[in-house]
Amino acid sequence: MSDATTGKNLRINGERLWQSLMEMAKIGATEKGGVCRLALTDLDREGRDLFVGWCKEAGCTVSVDRMGNIFARRPGRDNSLPPVGTGSHLDSQPTGGKFDGVYGVLAGLEVIRTLNDLNYETTAPIEVVVWTNEEGSRFAPAMVASGVFAGVFDEEYGLTRKDLDGKTMGEELKRIGYAGDLPVGGRKFGAFFETHIEQGPILEAEKKTIGIVQGAQGQRWYEITLVGQEAHAGPTPMRRRKDALLGASRLVHEVNRIGLANQPYACATVGLMQVSPNSRNTIPGKVFFTVDFRHPDDATLSRMDAELRTTAQRIAGEIGLQLQLEQIWYSPPVAFDKKCVAAVQDGAQTLGYENMPIISGAGHDSCYIARVAPTAMVFVPCEDGISHNEVENAAPGDIAAGCNVLLQAMLSRANAP
Ligand SMILES: [Zn+2]
């Protein structure tokens, strides 16, 4: 086949993609240059309306499912084939940036616009998806609508998630006009790709344009309570103390050590701690804290788990503390589809972009979609690795490069279904 047939000679319009990103960023723009567009608010509706309008202008058929997930479809030569999908989310964190999620949605639209410019017909249809409430900021948990789509949660659970005012996702979807009638899930994709900013510092540090995402880290979250004995900070001799904060401090240090012992991929964090009674002249009687472990290899994650448990027990024993240790969440590592990962790799190679394999440290809709469709992701660098922050930034050249890789990966799968 010639390059014109395979589409290897096609390039997206980086300028148009950038302009669309900046246009979308006006909806919910914050003073510091970021975006606050929480799921299912009026601003989310505005963002969705803008996207849907653009898709219709591009000749797409738009449909919405009962979780508010939007599917914009460009037909192919053989519409009995499952589409090759791409997409991400339009909702943001309260102090979010212009790229997290939106990039993955508008890169998909840019792929469609590019194919339209050139009257290029793919064999299988192409579809761009907006997943509802990825951030989990207004309605917990995160990635809830892609989760329902993938059968991780049931629909009833998804629609009854509440915000702090007690409003449910179901009510808010109706209010903003995005409670669609399509059933959630069951929709087949021949392949699914998601472009996203890395949200970490690795690509920038390694001077690579494209991250070939192999999968996502597994996670284990714990809640730990250490109980000792409150006592007066003056009259109680050092040797007689049951200081819960001392135990917690040692364990924080051990958590860090476990993380360092399992490099290059392990992450180990204590991010929340409550000391009781939290009084300067009372020995702390009780400490509650959390542990967040992440690793792409499940066996290693299990070893980290075992080590945490034995270490916590040892420390509690040494100081005479009672220990409660509960794993409150487990999310297994995700390995993306080998063919889809290879399509991303080939795309980066064809275009001559510096690239490297990378593991996603964050959760993404694609982590759930990977359960029901062959899936992979494309990462591009973001400035200083900063995301979930109003200063989140990315270089126009990198944004365009990621979209070109997406185009190549989608074409390779849509033309050889
Ligand atoms: Zn995101």
Side-chain angles (χ1 to χ4, degrees):
M1 276 199 289
S2 71
D3 279 2
T5 323
T6 58
K8 278 200 176 20
N9 59 330
L10 302 191
R11 299 293 179 271
I12 60 95
N13 182 336
E15 180 72 14
R16 178 172 54 193
L17 170 57
W18 189 262
Q19 287 311 324
S20 300
L21 281 163
M22 294 308 116
E23 193 64 31
M24 186 62 85
K26 289 181 187 162
I27 302 174
T30 61
E31 275 178 20
K32 289 181 192 158
V35 170
C36 174
R37 200 167 49 234
L38 299 182
L40 310 186
T41 55
D42 289 347
L43 289 170
D44 188 15
R45 165 171 48 196
E46 266 186 66
R48 286 164 174 261
D49 288 352
L50 180 61
F51 170 74
V52 168
W54 280 338
C55 290
K56 288 187 173 160
E57 275 169 34
C60 295
T61 321
V62 177
S63 49
V64 182
D65 74 14
R66 292 196 291 253
M67 286 303 299
N69 298 318
I70 304 171
F71 304 87
R73 183 183 179 100
R74 181 182 191 267
R77 229 185 332 270
D78 181 353
N79 293 303
S80 67
L81 290 168
V84 170
T86 187
S88 193
H89 57 97
L90 288 176
D91 68 316
S92 82
Q93 289 285 322
T95 53
K98 301 193 216 45
F99 302 95
D100 176 1
V102 192
Y103 173 43
V105 172
L106 297 184
L109 175 62
E110 178 53 38
V111 164
I112 286 181
R113 286 170 165 174
T114 299
L115 298 176
N116 287 350
D117 290 346
L118 300 153
N119 272 320
Y120 186 98
E121 199 176 32
T122 51
T123 306
I126 298 274
E127 225 166 67
V128 184
V129 187
V130 175
W131 302 111
T132 299
N133 184 38
E134 189 273 350
E135 294 290 358
S137 183
R138 181 177 175 201
F139 303 94
M143 306 175 290
V144 66
S146 53
V148 174
F149 185 90
V152 179
F153 311 115
D154 64 35
E155 190 178 316
E156 175 65 18
Y157 173 86
L159 291 173
T160 53
R161 293 309 87 209
K162 284 192 181 125
D163 70 2
L164 289 176
D165 299 330
K167 291 178 183 144
T168 65
M169 279 187 63
E171 288 159 12
E172 287 296 273
L173 275 168
K174 279 204 192 91
R175 188 185 67 79
I176 68 163
Y178 278 89
D181 44 22
L182 278 184
V184 189
R187 194 183 185 87
K188 291 271 173 284
F189 288 106
F192 192 87
F193 297 95
E194 180 175 0
T195 46
H196 209 283
I197 53 166
E198 180 199 342
Q199 306 184 284
I202 298 169
L203 293 175
E204 191 179 63
E206 301 288 328
K207 300 196 165 48
K208 305 287 186 197
T209 308
I210 300 293
I212 319 285
V213 190
Q214 312 290 306
Q217 288 181 321
Q219 301 185 37
R220 287 178 184 265
W221 287 11
Y222 305 87
E223 289 182 351
I224 300 180
T225 307
L226 286 170
V227 181
Q229 195 171 44
E230 283 139 30
H232 197 299
T236 319
M238 294 305 286
R239 300 247 172 249
R240 296 185 65 110
R241 298 180 177 204
K242 292 180 181 172
D243 183 340
L245 182 55
L246 177 65
S249 309
R250 286 190 187 166
L251 201 46
V252 170
H253 186 74
E254 287 297 313
V255 164
N256 187 62
R257 186 191 58 72
I258 293 169
L260 287 171
N262 289 283
Q263 289 308 297
Y265 291 122
C267 290
T269 308
V270 175
L272 182 156
M273 186 173 280
Q274 291 166 334
V275 180
S276 158
N278 214 21
S279 167
R280 71 187 67 219
N281 53 353
T282 298
I283 296 160
K286 185 173 161 187
V287 177
F288 169 86
F289 59 106
T290 60
V291 174
D292 174 324
F293 273 172
R294 304 184 186 211
H295 201 282
D297 173 54
D298 212 22
T300 309
L301 196 56
S302 299
R303 280 202 301 279
M304 291 166 67
D305 171 87
E307 205 167 343
L308 175 68
R309 289 171 193 276
T310 44
T311 308
Q313 224 131 46
R314 175 175 58 75
I315 290 170
E318 284 166 6
I319 307 176
L321 307 171
Q322 283 168 24
L323 166 72
Q324 281 167 31
L325 187 156
E326 196 192 343
Q327 178 182 293
I328 57 150
W329 189 53
Y330 166 61
S331 167
V334 177
F336 285 141
D337 179 75
K338 286 204 166 56
K339 271 193 188 164
C340 289
V341 172
V344 172
Q345 170 85 57
D346 291 349
Q349 221 65 34
T350 300
L351 296 156
Y353 297 133
E354 292 286 332
N355 62 82
M356 65 181 283
I358 194 166
I359 300 282
S360 176
H364 293 288
D365 292 309
S366 284
C367 298
Y368 283 151
I369 302 311
R371 299 187 184 205
V372 290
T375 300
M377 290 185 76
V378 183
F379 275 0
V380 297
C382 57
E383 201 175 293
D384 298 326
I386 291 173
S387 180
H388 284 196
N389 189 312
E390 289 160 276
V391 304
E392 179 185 281
N393 200 11
D398 293 342
I399 288 291
C403 188
N404 269 318
V405 172
L406 175 72
L407 170 68
Q408 290 302 321
M410 290 185 79
L411 285 178
S412 80
R413 295 311 306 272
N415 287 332

